Amino acid sequence: MTETRKRVLLAKPRGYCAGVDRAVQTVEEALKLYGAPIYVRKQIVHNKHVVSTLEARGAIFVEENEEVPEGSTVIFSAHGVAPEVYEQAKQRSLKAIDATCPLVTKVHHEARRFAAEDYDILLIGHEGHEEVIGTAGEAPAHIQLVDGPDGVDKVTVRDPNKVVWLSQTTLSVDETMETVARLKTRLPLLQSPPSDDICYATQNRQHVVKEIAPECDVVLVVGSRNSSNSVRLVEVALDGGARGGYLIDYASEIQEEWLEGATTVGVTSGASVPDDLVTEVLDHLAERGFADVTEVTTAEERLTFSLPQELKRDMKAAAARTLP
Protein backbone atom coordinates (compact mmCIF):
# COMPACT_ATOMS: atom_id res chain seq x y z
CA MET A 1 0.00 0.00 0.00
CA THR A 2 1.42 3.41 -0.93
CA GLU A 3 1.82 5.92 1.87
CA THR A 4 -0.34 9.05 1.58
CA ARG A 5 1.74 12.02 0.46
CA LYS A 6 2.45 14.47 3.29
CA ARG A 7 2.40 18.15 2.37
CA VAL A 8 2.47 21.68 3.75
CA LEU A 9 0.25 24.51 2.57
CA LEU A 10 2.19 27.70 3.32
CA ALA A 11 0.02 30.81 3.58
CA LYS A 12 0.98 34.05 1.88
CA PRO A 13 0.73 36.85 2.96
CA ARG A 14 2.07 35.97 6.39
CA GLY A 15 4.45 37.54 8.90
CA TYR A 16 5.58 41.14 9.13
CA CYS A 17 3.14 43.85 8.06
CA ALA A 18 4.26 47.38 7.15
CA GLY A 19 3.47 48.78 10.62
CA VAL A 20 5.50 46.10 12.44
CA ASP A 21 8.39 46.43 10.01
CA ARG A 22 8.45 50.19 10.65
CA ALA A 23 8.26 49.78 14.46
CA VAL A 24 11.08 47.21 14.67
CA GLN A 25 13.22 49.26 12.28
CA THR A 26 12.59 52.33 14.45
CA VAL A 27 14.16 50.61 17.48
CA GLU A 28 17.07 49.24 15.41
CA GLU A 29 17.85 52.65 13.86
CA ALA A 30 17.49 54.43 17.24
CA LEU A 31 20.03 52.02 18.78
CA LYS A 32 22.44 52.72 15.92
CA LEU A 33 21.93 56.48 16.08
CA TYR A 34 21.76 57.22 19.82
CA GLY A 35 23.48 54.11 21.21
CA ALA A 36 22.20 51.76 23.91
CA PRO A 37 20.23 51.82 26.03
CA ILE A 38 17.05 52.85 24.22
CA TYR A 39 13.88 52.58 26.29
CA VAL A 40 10.69 51.20 24.74
CA ARG A 41 7.33 51.64 26.45
CA LYS A 42 5.52 48.26 26.32
CA GLN A 43 6.53 45.56 23.84
CA ILE A 44 7.35 47.28 20.54
CA VAL A 45 5.31 44.55 18.82
CA HIS A 46 3.64 41.53 20.37
CA ASN A 47 6.28 38.92 19.64
CA LYS A 48 8.52 37.19 22.18
CA HIS A 49 11.40 36.55 19.73
CA VAL A 50 11.49 40.11 18.38
CA VAL A 51 11.49 41.58 21.90
CA SER A 52 14.31 39.32 23.15
CA THR A 53 16.39 40.02 20.00
CA LEU A 54 16.07 43.78 20.53
CA GLU A 55 16.83 43.41 24.24
CA ALA A 56 20.09 41.67 23.32
CA ARG A 57 21.00 44.73 21.23
CA GLY A 58 20.38 47.18 24.07
CA ALA A 59 16.66 47.97 24.09
CA ILE A 60 15.09 48.15 27.55
CA PHE A 61 11.35 47.45 27.65
CA VAL A 62 9.36 49.19 30.37
CA GLU A 63 5.69 49.33 31.26
CA GLU A 64 5.41 53.07 31.95
CA ASN A 65 7.30 56.33 31.36
CA GLU A 66 8.14 56.60 35.08
CA GLU A 67 10.62 53.74 34.63
CA VAL A 68 12.60 55.73 32.03
CA PRO A 69 15.42 57.92 33.44
CA GLU A 70 14.71 61.65 32.92
CA GLY A 71 16.08 63.04 29.67
CA SER A 72 16.39 59.59 28.01
CA THR A 73 14.98 58.44 24.68
CA VAL A 74 11.75 56.45 24.77
CA ILE A 75 9.97 54.78 21.87
CA PHE A 76 6.21 54.26 21.97
CA SER A 77 5.10 50.86 20.64
CA ALA A 78 3.25 50.12 17.39
CA HIS A 79 -0.06 49.80 19.28
CA GLY A 80 -0.45 53.51 20.01
CA VAL A 81 -0.75 55.47 23.24
CA ALA A 82 -3.25 57.82 24.85
CA PRO A 83 -2.50 61.60 24.83
CA GLU A 84 -1.67 61.53 28.57
CA VAL A 85 1.34 59.29 27.80
CA TYR A 86 2.86 62.04 25.61
CA GLU A 87 2.19 64.52 28.42
CA GLN A 88 3.98 62.31 30.98
CA ALA A 89 6.96 61.99 28.62
CA LYS A 90 7.14 65.77 28.27
CA GLN A 91 7.08 66.22 32.06
CA ARG A 92 10.04 63.83 32.41
CA SER A 93 11.95 65.58 29.57
CA LEU A 94 11.98 62.36 27.58
CA LYS A 95 12.83 62.36 23.91
CA ALA A 96 9.75 60.50 22.61
CA ILE A 97 9.75 58.68 19.28
CA ASP A 98 6.33 57.50 18.24
CA ALA A 99 6.38 54.12 16.44
CA THR A 100 2.56 53.83 16.39
CA CYS A 101 1.36 52.06 13.26
CA PRO A 102 -0.12 54.69 10.90
CA LEU A 103 -3.28 52.55 10.59
CA VAL A 104 -3.76 52.79 14.38
CA THR A 105 -3.09 56.55 14.19
CA LYS A 106 -5.93 56.76 11.66
CA VAL A 107 -8.35 55.26 14.23
CA HIS A 108 -7.09 57.79 16.83
CA HIS A 109 -7.87 60.64 14.38
CA GLU A 110 -11.35 59.23 13.81
CA ALA A 111 -11.97 59.00 17.57
CA ARG A 112 -10.93 62.63 18.08
CA ARG A 113 -13.03 63.86 15.15
CA PHE A 114 -16.24 62.06 16.18
CA ALA A 115 -15.76 63.10 19.82
CA ALA A 116 -15.39 66.74 18.71
CA GLU A 117 -18.73 66.34 16.90
CA ASP A 118 -20.22 64.96 20.17
CA TYR A 119 -20.88 61.43 18.93
CA ASP A 120 -21.09 58.38 21.16
CA ILE A 121 -18.29 56.11 19.91
CA LEU A 122 -18.61 52.33 20.21
CA LEU A 123 -15.09 50.90 20.08
CA ILE A 124 -15.13 47.22 19.13
CA GLY A 125 -12.08 45.54 20.65
CA HIS A 126 -10.61 43.44 23.43
CA GLU A 127 -10.61 44.85 26.94
CA GLY A 128 -7.12 45.59 28.23
CA HIS A 129 -5.42 45.43 24.81
CA GLU A 130 -2.85 48.23 24.47
CA GLU A 131 -4.35 49.48 21.23
CA VAL A 132 -7.81 49.77 22.79
CA ILE A 133 -6.41 51.62 25.85
CA GLY A 134 -4.60 54.09 23.55
CA THR A 135 -7.63 54.76 21.32
CA ALA A 136 -10.05 55.07 24.26
CA GLY A 137 -7.66 57.57 25.84
CA GLU A 138 -8.28 59.99 22.96
CA ALA A 139 -11.85 60.66 24.13
CA PRO A 140 -12.70 58.70 27.29
CA ALA A 141 -15.96 60.58 27.86
CA HIS A 142 -17.28 59.57 24.42
CA ILE A 143 -15.93 56.03 23.96
CA GLN A 144 -17.35 52.79 25.30
CA LEU A 145 -15.83 49.39 24.60
CA VAL A 146 -17.84 46.63 22.92
CA ASP A 147 -15.91 43.39 23.47
CA GLY A 148 -17.37 41.17 20.74
CA PRO A 149 -21.01 40.29 19.93
CA ASP A 150 -21.76 39.42 23.57
CA GLY A 151 -20.94 42.97 24.65
CA VAL A 152 -23.71 44.52 22.53
CA ASP A 153 -26.48 44.22 25.14
CA LYS A 154 -24.55 46.37 27.62
CA VAL A 155 -24.36 49.37 25.25
CA THR A 156 -26.19 52.56 26.24
CA VAL A 157 -26.05 55.76 24.19
CA ARG A 158 -27.26 59.32 24.73
CA ASP A 159 -28.69 59.85 21.25
CA PRO A 160 -29.28 56.86 18.89
CA ASN A 161 -29.03 59.30 15.95
CA LYS A 162 -25.41 60.19 16.82
CA VAL A 163 -23.52 56.94 17.20
CA VAL A 164 -20.52 55.59 15.29
CA TRP A 165 -18.49 52.39 15.61
CA LEU A 166 -14.71 52.12 15.35
CA SER A 167 -12.56 49.04 15.90
CA GLN A 168 -9.24 47.70 17.04
CA THR A 169 -7.17 47.04 13.89
CA THR A 170 -6.30 43.38 14.63
CA LEU A 171 -9.71 41.77 15.14
CA SER A 172 -11.39 38.87 13.38
CA VAL A 173 -13.17 40.40 10.39
CA ASP A 174 -16.11 37.99 10.67
CA GLU A 175 -16.62 38.50 14.40
CA THR A 176 -16.41 42.29 14.01
CA MET A 177 -19.07 42.24 11.29
CA GLU A 178 -21.25 40.05 13.51
CA THR A 179 -20.84 42.59 16.34
CA VAL A 180 -21.74 45.46 13.98
CA ALA A 181 -24.80 43.58 12.70
CA ARG A 182 -26.02 43.06 16.27
CA LEU A 183 -25.38 46.71 17.12
CA LYS A 184 -27.39 47.79 14.08
CA THR A 185 -30.43 45.78 15.20
CA ARG A 186 -30.38 47.90 18.39
CA LEU A 187 -29.15 51.12 16.77
CA PRO A 188 -30.38 51.25 13.15
CA LEU A 189 -28.72 54.66 12.54
CA LEU A 190 -25.29 53.49 13.70
CA GLN A 191 -22.62 55.02 11.46
CA SER A 192 -19.53 53.21 10.19
CA PRO A 193 -15.97 54.58 10.14
CA PRO A 194 -15.11 56.49 6.94
CA SER A 195 -12.84 53.61 5.92
CA ASP A 196 -12.25 50.12 7.27
CA ASP A 197 -10.46 50.10 10.65
CA ILE A 198 -9.32 46.46 10.56
CA CYS A 199 -5.93 46.66 8.94
CA TYR A 200 -5.20 45.29 5.46
CA ALA A 201 -2.59 42.85 6.83
CA THR A 202 -4.95 41.36 9.41
CA GLN A 203 -7.61 40.87 6.74
CA ASN A 204 -5.17 39.39 4.21
CA ARG A 205 -3.73 36.90 6.69
CA GLN A 206 -7.20 35.79 7.75
CA HIS A 207 -8.36 35.47 4.14
CA VAL A 208 -5.56 33.10 3.06
CA VAL A 209 -6.04 30.96 6.19
CA LYS A 210 -9.75 30.65 5.33
CA GLU A 211 -8.67 29.53 1.89
CA ILE A 212 -6.35 26.72 3.07
CA ALA A 213 -8.17 25.64 6.26
CA PRO A 214 -10.70 23.24 4.65
CA GLU A 215 -7.81 21.17 3.21
CA CYS A 216 -5.77 21.08 6.42
CA ASP A 217 -5.68 18.49 9.16
CA VAL A 218 -3.71 20.92 11.29
CA VAL A 219 -2.87 24.63 10.98
CA LEU A 220 0.22 25.91 12.81
CA VAL A 221 0.23 29.66 13.46
CA VAL A 222 3.58 31.11 14.43
CA GLY A 223 2.94 33.96 16.86
CA SER A 224 2.87 34.96 20.52
CA ARG A 225 -0.08 34.57 22.89
CA ASN A 226 -0.39 38.33 23.47
CA SER A 227 -0.60 38.95 19.70
CA SER A 228 -4.27 39.58 18.97
CA ASN A 229 -3.96 39.01 15.22
CA SER A 230 -2.06 35.71 15.74
CA VAL A 231 -4.67 34.38 18.18
CA ARG A 232 -7.40 35.30 15.66
CA LEU A 233 -5.64 33.25 12.94
CA VAL A 234 -6.03 30.07 15.00
CA GLU A 235 -9.74 30.84 15.45
CA VAL A 236 -10.14 31.52 11.72
CA ALA A 237 -8.42 28.22 10.86
CA LEU A 238 -10.72 26.22 13.15
CA ASP A 239 -13.83 28.09 11.98
CA GLY A 240 -12.70 27.48 8.37
CA GLY A 241 -12.64 23.71 8.74
CA ALA A 242 -9.15 22.76 9.96
CA ARG A 243 -9.35 19.82 12.38
CA GLY A 244 -6.69 21.31 14.64
CA GLY A 245 -5.14 24.75 15.09
CA TYR A 246 -2.20 25.69 17.32
CA LEU A 247 -0.31 28.86 18.21
CA ILE A 248 3.45 28.47 18.67
CA ASP A 249 6.38 30.85 19.20
CA TYR A 250 9.00 28.36 18.04
CA ALA A 251 9.23 25.09 16.08
CA SER A 252 10.37 23.35 19.28
CA GLU A 253 6.85 23.80 20.71
CA ILE A 254 5.24 21.56 18.05
CA GLN A 255 3.92 18.43 19.75
CA GLU A 256 4.32 15.15 17.88
CA GLU A 257 0.72 14.08 18.57
CA TRP A 258 -0.59 17.11 16.65
CA LEU A 259 0.89 15.61 13.47
CA GLU A 260 -0.23 12.02 14.07
CA GLY A 261 -2.38 10.87 11.14
CA ALA A 262 -2.09 14.29 9.44
CA THR A 263 -1.35 14.48 5.72
CA THR A 264 -1.82 18.23 5.18
CA VAL A 265 -0.43 20.85 7.55
CA GLY A 266 -1.15 24.56 7.06
CA VAL A 267 1.49 27.06 8.18
CA THR A 268 1.14 30.80 8.64
CA SER A 269 2.37 33.52 10.97
CA GLY A 270 1.02 36.63 12.67
CA ALA A 271 1.83 40.15 11.52
CA SER A 272 4.62 40.60 14.09
CA VAL A 273 6.57 37.43 13.26
CA PRO A 274 9.91 37.39 11.38
CA ASP A 275 9.99 34.83 8.57
CA ASP A 276 13.04 32.95 9.88
CA LEU A 277 10.78 31.49 12.61
CA VAL A 278 8.49 30.11 9.87
CA THR A 279 11.53 28.63 8.08
CA GLU A 280 12.41 26.78 11.29
CA VAL A 281 8.87 25.35 11.43
CA LEU A 282 9.13 24.20 7.79
CA ASP A 283 12.49 22.52 8.54
CA HIS A 284 10.96 20.80 11.58
CA LEU A 285 8.04 19.52 9.46
CA ALA A 286 10.35 18.40 6.63
CA GLU A 287 12.27 16.22 9.11
CA ARG A 288 8.94 14.51 9.87
CA GLY A 289 8.09 13.80 6.23
CA PHE A 290 6.30 17.03 5.37
CA ALA A 291 8.84 18.14 2.76
CA ASP A 292 6.39 18.99 -0.02
CA VAL A 293 5.60 22.71 0.46
CA THR A 294 3.07 24.60 -1.67
CA GLU A 295 2.76 28.34 -1.13
CA VAL A 296 -0.84 29.55 -1.41
CA THR A 297 -1.03 33.27 -2.26
CA THR A 298 -4.23 35.31 -2.07
CA ALA A 299 -2.79 38.85 -2.09
CA GLU A 300 0.43 40.73 -2.82
CA GLU A 301 1.44 43.31 -0.20
CA ARG A 302 3.55 46.25 -1.28
CA LEU A 303 2.67 48.86 1.34
CA THR A 304 5.55 50.42 3.29
CA PHE A 305 5.56 53.18 5.91
CA SER A 306 8.36 55.68 6.40
CA LEU A 307 10.11 55.96 9.77
CA PRO A 308 8.82 58.40 12.44
CA GLN A 309 9.56 62.06 11.55
CA GLU A 310 11.57 62.79 14.71
CA LEU A 311 13.90 59.83 14.03
CA LYS A 312 14.30 60.66 10.32
CA ARG A 313 15.21 64.25 11.24
CA ASP A 314 17.98 63.09 13.61
CA MET A 315 19.26 60.51 11.10
CA LYS A 316 19.50 63.22 8.45
CA ALA A 317 21.32 65.57 10.82
CA ALA A 318 23.77 62.78 11.79
CA ALA A 319 24.42 61.97 8.14
CA ALA A 320 25.10 65.65 7.38
CA ARG A 321 27.64 65.82 10.24
CA THR A 322 29.62 62.87 8.86
CA LEU A 323 29.95 64.41 5.40
CA PRO A 324 33.53 65.60 4.62
Side-chain angles (χ1 to χ4, degrees):
M1 194 173 117
T2 57
E3 195 184 326
T4 314
R5 187 168 63 103
K6 291 179 173 181
R7 62 178 184 151
V8 173
L9 296 181
L10 179 60
K12 187 183 175 187
R14 64 181 177 275
Y16 271 14
C17 61
V20 164
D21 203 19
R22 172 184 188 261
V24 174
Q25 209 186 332
T26 297
V27 180
E28 291 170 343
E29 292 295 342
L31 283 164
K32 273 190 245 170
L33 187 62
Y34 310 119
I38 292 291
Y39 293 86
V40 184
R41 185 184 176 276
K42 309 286 186 188
Q43 291 192 354
I44 185 70
V45 295
H46 286 157
N47 183 265
K48 198 193 281 190
H49 179 76
V50 171
V51 168
S52 60
T53 303
L54 291 171
E55 275 177 336
R57 292 185 193 172
I60 297 174
F61 291 87
V62 299
E63 283 302 301
E64 297 300 342
N65 287 336
E66 292 81 68
E67 299 167 61
V68 181
E70 291 205 10
S72 300
T73 298
V74 64
I75 296 175
F76 297 148
S77 80
H79 310 102
V81 296
E84 65 183 10
V85 176
Y86 292 100
E87 203 42 56
Q88 292 161 357
K90 208 180 286 179
Q91 285 163 11
R92 292 183 63 76
S93 306
L94 301 179
K95 178 186 180 64
I97 296 173
D98 186 4
T100 301
C101 171
L103 299 177
V104 174
T105 302
K106 175 183 85 80
V107 182
H108 282 231
H109 288 324
E110 290 168 355
R112 287 199 298 272
R113 180 163 74 80
F114 284 111
E117 293 171 17
D118 203 30
Y119 273 76
D120 275 348
I121 301 165
L122 306 180
L123 178 59
I124 301 171
H126 297 302
E127 190 165 5
H129 190 280
E130 281 156 46
E131 188 188 321
V132 163
I133 294 166
T135 303
E138 292 287 358
H142 289 264
I143 292 177
Q144 56 187 301
L145 181 66
V146 184
D147 197 341
D150 296 340
V152 169
D153 295 339
K154 303 185 196 105
V155 168
T156 56
V157 297
R158 294 166 303 156
D159 179 356
N161 300 307
K162 278 196 95 169
V163 193
V164 65
W165 70 270
L166 302 176
S167 86
Q168 184 182 327
T169 61
T170 53
L171 299 179
S172 152
V173 178
D174 292 344
E175 189 181 288
T176 303
M177 289 303 103
E178 187 191 332
T179 306
V180 171
R182 280 207 207 177
L183 284 168
K184 283 188 170 168
T185 60
R186 290 196 56 202
L187 300 160
L189 296 175
L190 177 70
Q191 291 191 38
S192 299
S195 63
D196 207 335
D197 282 348
I198 296 179
C199 94
Y200 77 96
T202 298
Q203 295 190 43
N204 287 346
R205 279 149 193 68
Q206 288 177 20
H207 180 64
V208 67
V209 167
K210 267 189 199 174
E211 195 84 5
I212 65 172
E215 295 184 56
C216 293
D217 299 301
V218 179
V219 173
L220 300 175
V221 178
V222 186
S224 293
R225 304 219 159 271
N226 62 340
S227 162
S228 178
N229 77 85
S230 301
V231 172
R232 297 293 84 70
L233 288 172
V234 177
E235 293 170 1
V236 168
L238 293 169
D239 289 346
R243 281 188 285 172
Y246 303 96
L247 184 65
I248 53 170
D249 269 297
Y250 299 103
S252 58
E253 294 170 18
I254 297 170
Q255 294 179 25
E256 296 302 322
E257 58 264 32
W258 298 348
L259 305 176
E260 273 172 28
T263 56
T264 302
V265 176
V267 174
T268 188
S269 57
S272 44
V273 177
D275 217 37
D276 53 347
L277 296 183
V278 175
T279 303
E280 286 170 19
V281 168
L282 295 176
D283 291 344
H284 181 98
L285 291 170
E287 285 164 13
R288 284 148 186 82
F290 294 89
D292 179 0
V293 179
T294 303
E295 194 166 54
V296 178
T297 307
T298 54
E300 292 291 341
E301 293 180 350
R302 294 191 177 86
L303 185 66
T304 57
F305 294 130
S306 65
L307 291 169
Q309 287 301 331
E310 49 279 337
L311 179 61
K312 281 204 307 192
R313 199 168 46 237
D314 287 357
M315 286 167 74
K316 203 172 170 183
R321 283 197 299 274
T322 57
L323 287 173

